[in-house]
Amino acid sequence: EAGFYAALGDVYAKSGSYPLAVTWFDEARKRKPEDKVILGKMAQALLQTGDLQRAQQILENVAGTPSADAGVLANLGNVYARQGQLQRAE
C-alpha cells in the first residue's frame, strides 16, 4: 500500500536521510502515481539531495493540475531559482 511506503519516506526525511526518503517515496509513487501529497514530499526530499532536475519534473507535473497549491508553486520557483532561471522562478 502506498501509505506504508510514504510513511517510511517520512521517517527517513525527518531523520535527514533524504536519499533513502526518495527511495521510499518513489515506491509509494509507483503505487499511487497521482497522489499529490506523495509527489510533494518526494519533491522536497529531492530538493534536499540536490536532484533539481527530477524535482522540477515532478513539480511541473503537479503544478499543471487544477488543484496545485501554493506550496507546490513555491517549491517549483525555488527549483528554478537554484538553476539560475530567475524569470521562470518569478
Side-chain angles (χ1 to χ4, degrees):
E1 188 174 314
F4 171 78
Y5 295 102
L8 284 173
D10 283 335
V11 169
Y12 282 109
K14 288 178 183 170
S15 71
S17 299
Y18 296 106
L20 287 171
V22 169
T23 299
W24 293 114
F25 288 135
D26 200 30
E27 286 299 318
R29 187 178 63 104
K30 288 176 187 174
R31 287 154 178 81
K32 261 187 144 176
E34 302 300 319
D35 189 303
K36 291 178 179 77
V37 173
I38 292 170
L39 292 171
K41 290 179 179 186
M42 184 170 176
Q44 285 281 21
L46 287 164
L47 284 169
Q48 294 296 324
T49 65
D51 191 346
L52 300 179
Q53 184 175 9
R54 195 163 167 212
Q56 177 183 341
Q57 290 171 339
I58 289 170
L59 290 167
E60 284 177 343
N61 286 338
V62 175
T65 63
S67 61
D69 64 24
V72 167
L73 298 174
N75 283 334
L76 184 55
N78 183 17
V79 168
Y80 289 146
R82 286 180 169 189
Q83 294 172 332
Q85 300 178 43
L86 300 181
Q87 284 197 317
R88 286 184 89 182
E90 288 180 29

